């Protein structure tokens, strides 16, 4: 690409004070970047237009050329297929006149002339700029597909070849591109190439805010853009990626692993929630409180109290505080003076509520913390949780055990609820953070930290938005190649976005851009809390596969039918087994009331899970079957939970068989334990499965959805190595 030429063209438009480049200017820039466009020349007069037409060769196309007219056809500003010199001169005059009439104040450069191109299949490539993620490339089919059906695919720039390849195939109308009903197939490689060129162009020219190639004609070989538009940024574009600084990483590390912590301003009215949360902390805990009335309560908890942070005769690494907002900036200054590494504020009432005083106080805190290289966590958050060392952010959370799942949440409640629920699903937390207003440290900082944390193998996030979108995206793309990252995004609906601004003051991102970003980065998008937890549980317990064929075992007829629906609906397949499998099955399968195509309706054959040798045989057949990539068993818990309770041995036997299978088979194995109304009876059962390393799911749908999300992740990264 001739970068210098492109820059010169853009610079020229800037000096002419133009934000919208005309088709002639835009095509000059695109052509300098190596992108195939129809050669387009500006005719400032009728004679000049005619000369161009003669030089380019008939038939030609004439179009109005003005930085103030966006949609040329709408005002009769496009004339196709002009075959004679007379047609060109006449059209020149009528087009000029009608443009001047419809747009009396518009600057009109003249009329552009270009060869009439052979029609091809029409596609559209565009670029828009998201306020946080920067340039987003769009691909769609021409005409109604984009305008009415909104059948488009998005990817954040810069595109890598697999992005270009995938986005073309992602649109619903892809069949039309791949030789639909005897139509000749078109040159998809040329479209991929063009997408990559467009991405390279906007990376090299951050001045470009929007770009529109509409339409592009695609042929059996090659493609050609016949219309182009470029819009420049008014202001300087958003910042690019940056790594977590060594200082911040060290500060966070010390805050997550403190030798001594202090709780400032805890009180009876809050039931001493912060001090009580530290009852499990294995190292030193101090309290800072000057209110005499609170001192007996603090003494009763056995925590030494001091009138100020400075008065504590020891270094403090991490501070938790819930002081009123007016006092907050002073506390940050005290922490800085004490050389504290991290401070978290439960206190709210800052930028998230939008009043001037809140913003002013928050800015003071930020300035002080930055100057001191201190990790300011929040405000408006629950702060850090590191169960292994007993550092908690809620008094009911488990402590003392190390886990492997890291959790990062913008919301305190989601952070605590996840930390409370996860252990009941066999998922143990390595480190978690609720970070609220994200003033000094944002999601990217915590993600970068956990990505390098040796304790953390899987990362979950609850986010409402991110501040440095470009940084978040490029970091996420790196992290997912090493550790799975599951992201639950709140505020995906319009009304949900309103709630965000009142919650943490995040900038709202269009849902389509967000989802595209998550997919492109190879992360896992969860739509609900359950999906987030289910998928993390599955990733933790289950062996990976990148293929989609599921072998299903159910006990009885009805569940066999609906479990199949659930897995097909989630986009997985329930294939027939191999002939060899059917032959072996027919030798012992009890067909009365049961079928063994797939699903295997096998309650009779395996005595509702009690005939362990037959169950063993069934599982082995699925394990060997080449059509099957994952095995899922509905244990019929709604029918047998009572029996398990009355005769615990029956459950033990089943668990032995299943544990044995899960550990020897290389295929993912999932169990459905649907409680119906038997939650109480199944609570312990579920924990027994998890204790043995078997992932259970509450419904067919939840198992199916989690397996689909995980399979997408495994496949993405398996394929990624081939790009
Ligand atoms: P608009 O500003 O209205 O988008 P376009 O330049 O896209 O104007 O022209 C409108 C339509 O005319 C295009 O969608 C395309 O079908 C056709 N067209 C434009 N330029 C050419 C060309 N050089 N050769 C053939 N058809 C063209
Ligand atoms: Mg157009």
């Amino acid at each position: 690409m001739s970068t210098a030429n492109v820059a010169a063209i853009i610079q020229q438009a800037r000096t002419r004070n133009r934000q919208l480049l005309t088709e002639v200017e835009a095509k000059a820039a695109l052509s300098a970047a190596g992108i195939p466009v129809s050669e387009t020349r500006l005719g400032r007069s009728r004679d000049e237009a005619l000369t161009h037409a003669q030089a380019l060769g008939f038939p030609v196309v004439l179009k109005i050329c003005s930085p103030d007219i966006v949609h040329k056809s709408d005002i009769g500003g496009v004339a196709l297929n002009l075959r004679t010199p007379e047609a060109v001169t006449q059209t020149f005059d009528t087009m000029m006149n009608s443009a001047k009439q419809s747009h009396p104040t518009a600057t009109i450069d003249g009329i552009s002339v270009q060869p009439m191109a052979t029609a091809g299949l029409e596609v559209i490539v565009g670029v828009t700029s998201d306020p946080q993620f920067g340039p987003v490339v769009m691909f769609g089919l021409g005409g109604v597909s984009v305008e009415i059906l909104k059948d488009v695919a998005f990817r954040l720039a810069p595109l890598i070849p697999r992005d270009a390849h995938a986005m073309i195939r992602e649109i619903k109308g892809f069949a039309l591109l791949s030789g639909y009903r005897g139509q000749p197939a078109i040159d998809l490689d040329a479209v991929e190439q063009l997408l990559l060129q467009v991405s390279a162009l906007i990376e090299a020219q951050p001045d470009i805010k929007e770009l529109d190639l509409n339409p592009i004609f695609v042929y059996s070989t090659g493609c050609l853009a016949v219309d182009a538009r470029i819009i420049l940024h008014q202001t300087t574009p958003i910042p690019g990626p940056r790594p977590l600084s060594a200082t911040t990483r060290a500060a966070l590390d010390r805050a997550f692993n403190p030798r001594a912590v202090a709780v400032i301003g805890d009180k009876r009215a809050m039931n001493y929630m912060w001090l009580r949360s530290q009852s499990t902390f294995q190292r030193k805990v101090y309290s800072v409180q000057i209110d005499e009335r609170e001192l007996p309560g603090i003494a009763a908890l056995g925590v030494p109290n001091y009138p100020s942070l400075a008065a504590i005769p020891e270094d403090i690494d991490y501070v938790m505080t819930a002081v009123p907002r007016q006092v907050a900036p002073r506390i940050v200054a005290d922490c800085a003076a004490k050389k504290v590494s991290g401070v978290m504020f439960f206190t709210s009432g800052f930028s998230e509520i939008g009043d001037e005083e809140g913003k002013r106080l928050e800015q003071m805190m930020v300035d002080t913390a930055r100057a001191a290289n201190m990790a300011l966590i929040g405000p408006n958050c629950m702060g850090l949780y590191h169960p292994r060392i007993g550092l908690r952010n809620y008094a009911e959370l488990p402590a003392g055990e190390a886990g492997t799942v890291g959790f990062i949440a913008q919301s305190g409640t989601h952070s605590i609820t996840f930390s409370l629920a996860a252990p009941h699903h066999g998922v143990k937390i390595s480190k978690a953070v609720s970070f609220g207003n994200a003033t000094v440290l944002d999601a990217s900082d915590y993600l970068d930290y956990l990505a390098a944390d040796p304790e953390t193998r899987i990362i979950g996030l609850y986010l409402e938005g991110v501040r440095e979108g470009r940084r978040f995206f490029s970091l996420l793309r790196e992290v997912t190649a090493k550790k799975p990252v599951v992201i639950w995004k709140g505020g995906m609906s319009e009304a949900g976005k309103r709630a965000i601004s009142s919650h943490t003051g995040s900038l709202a991102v269009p849902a389509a851009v967000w989802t595209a970003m998550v997919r492109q980065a190879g992360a896992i998008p969860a739509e609900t809390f359950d999906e987030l937890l289910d998928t993390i549980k599955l990733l933790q317990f289950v062996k990976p596969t990148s293929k989609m064929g599921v072998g299903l075992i159910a006990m009885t007829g009805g569940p066999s039918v609906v479990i199949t629906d659930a897995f097909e609906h989630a986009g997985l397949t329930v294939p027939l087994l191999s002939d060899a499998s059917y032959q072996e099955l027919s030798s012992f399968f009890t067909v009365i009331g049961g079928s063994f195509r797939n699903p295997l309706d096998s309650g009779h054959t395996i005595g509702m899970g009690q005939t362990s040798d037959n169950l063993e045989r069934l599982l082995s057949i699925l394990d060997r079957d080449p059509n099957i990539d994952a095995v899922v068993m509905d244990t019929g818990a709604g029918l047998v939970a009572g029996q398990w309770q009355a005769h615990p041995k029956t459950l033990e036997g089943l668990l032995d068989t299943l544990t044995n299978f899960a550990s020897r088979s290389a295929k993912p194995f999932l169990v459905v334990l649907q409680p119906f109304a038997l939650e109480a009876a199944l609570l312990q059962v579920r924990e027994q499965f998890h204790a043995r390393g078997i992932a259970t799911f509450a419904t067919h749908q939840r198992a199916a959805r989690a397996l689909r999300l995980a399979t997408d992740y495994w496949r993405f990264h398996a394929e990624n190595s081939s790009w």
Side-chain angles (χ1 to χ4, degrees), residues 63 72-73 213-215 227-229:
K63 297 184 196 172
K72 302 176 289 290
S73 319
L213 302 179
N214 179 12
D227 185 22
R229 192 156 35 230

Side-chain angles (χ1 to χ4, degrees), residues 168-365:
I168 294 173
R169 284 153 183 84
E170 188 177 295
I171 59 167
K172 296 189 193 77
F174 175 64
L176 297 170
L177 297 176
S178 46
Y180 168 76
R181 291 212 173 153
Q183 299 257 345
I186 60 158
D187 191 349
L188 295 177
D189 290 346
V191 182
E192 279 181 45
Q193 165 83 3
L194 183 139
L195 284 165
L196 292 169
Q197 285 173 312
V198 165
S199 168
L201 170 65
I202 49 174
E203 278 293 296
Q205 303 297 333
D207 269 41
I208 298 176
K209 180 175 176 234
E210 287 173 36
L211 184 153
D212 213 358
L213 302 179
N214 179 12
I216 300 163
F217 291 164
V218 192
Y219 307 111
S220 52
T221 44
C223 63
L224 185 72
V226 297
D227 185 22
R229 192 156 35 230
I230 286 177
I231 297 172
L232 302 179
H233 275 288
Q234 232 158 1
T235 49
T236 33
I238 56 159
R242 65 179 173 92
L244 182 64
S245 75
T247 332
T248 311
R249 192 183 295 282
L252 260 179
D253 204 45
R254 211 181 120 198
F256 262 120
N257 297 282
R259 286 152 299 178
V261 302
V263 174
I264 302 181
D266 207 3
K267 45 182 190 259
R268 181 181 308 280
M270 296 199 302
N271 193 20
Y272 299 109
M273 66 181 277
W274 292 100
L275 284 168
R276 285 192 305 113
S277 73
Q278 297 320 305
S279 66
T280 50
F281 185 54
Q282 295 155 5
R283 304 164 193 177
K284 294 244 176 80
V285 184
Y286 295 94
S287 161
V288 174
Q289 178 59 274
I290 43 173
D291 188 338
E292 294 286 333
R293 290 163 304 176
E294 300 291 354
L295 299 186
I298 294 169
L301 291 169
V303 181
N305 185 71
Y306 288 86
S308 70
L309 201 54
I312 299 176
E314 190 177 356
D315 287 345
I316 298 295
D317 300 305
Y318 178 52
V319 167
M320 285 151 271
T321 171
V323 296
R325 72 170 185 174
Q326 288 77 11
V327 192
R330 218 194 64 218
I331 299 295
V332 180
D334 288 354
C335 289
K338 182 82 180 163
K339 298 204 163 25
V340 163
S341 195
V343 53
M344 88 86 195
F345 282 85
F346 179 59
T347 317
S348 57
F350 297 98
S351 61
E352 83 280 5
I353 63 166
D355 74 330
E356 285 312 310
E357 180 61 1
K359 285 187 205 157
R360 190 184 68 85
L361 292 168
E362 190 174 280
Q363 192 56 50
M364 285 168 71
M365 295 159 74

Side-chain angles (χ1 to χ4, degrees), residues 453-597:
D453 177 35
E455 284 189 330
T456 302
R457 279 183 36 230
I458 301 168
I459 299 171
L461 291 103
Y462 168 78
L463 294 177
E464 288 160 7
V466 288
R467 279 185 207 285
E468 299 165 277
R470 301 269 283 161
R471 177 184 172 206
F472 183 75
F473 169 62
S474 78
L475 170 67
L476 187 61
R477 200 179 228 181
E478 274 173 41
V479 179
T480 63
K482 292 177 288 183
K483 300 179 182 182
V485 181
V486 188
I487 306 180
W488 176 29
K489 167 84 165 70
M492 293 290 264
S493 66
E494 286 307 313
K497 279 183 207 150
R498 282 203 305 277
I500 288 183
S501 51
S502 59
H503 187 200
T504 38
S506 287
L507 287 168
V509 188
V513 171
W514 181 271
T515 309
M517 183 279 294
V518 172
R519 281 214 198 122
Q520 190 181 354
I524 302 168
E527 282 178 15
T528 60
F529 180 93
D530 290 339
E531 225 171 80
L532 174 84
L533 182 53
D534 286 343
T535 311
I536 288 176
K537 169 164 50 173
L538 192 151
L539 288 164
Q540 179 182 281
F541 283 124
V542 163
K543 290 169 190 162
T545 176
S546 46
K547 292 191 273 159
M548 303 257 195
V550 188
L552 298 172
I553 301 175
M555 295 299 167
T556 48
S560 300
V561 174
V562 294
I563 192 174
T564 312
D565 290 344
F567 279 79
E568 288 273 345
H569 186 77
L572 297 154
T573 60
V574 185
L576 290 178
L577 308 183
S578 68
D579 288 343
S581 295
Y582 285 132
Q583 241 165 40
E584 197 179 337
L585 280 169
S586 65
S587 70
F588 71 99
F589 207 91
T590 315
V591 196
I592 316 151
S595 116
F596 56 82
R597 289 171 68 79

Side-chain angles (χ1 to χ4, degrees), residues 354-430:
D355 74 330
E356 285 312 310
E357 180 61 1
K359 285 187 205 157
R360 190 184 68 85
L361 292 168
E362 190 174 280
Q363 192 56 50
M364 285 168 71
M365 295 159 74
V366 168
D367 292 342
T368 312
R370 284 228 169 94
N373 282 322
M374 199 161 56
L376 173 61
I377 299 153
N380 184 25
C381 75
M382 297 293 285
L384 308 180
Y385 174 42
H386 187 181
R388 184 172 59 79
I389 60 167
L391 181 76
R392 297 186 302 179
N393 52 356
Y394 197 64
E396 266 123 69
L397 289 173
E401 259 191 288
T404 55
V405 173
F407 194 65
I408 301 167
Q410 210 156 344
S411 138
T413 302
H414 291 325
S415 165
I416 302 302
T417 315
F418 185 86
S419 303
L420 283 170
H424 293 286
H425 292 264
V427 172
K428 294 196 189 102
I429 307 266
S430 55

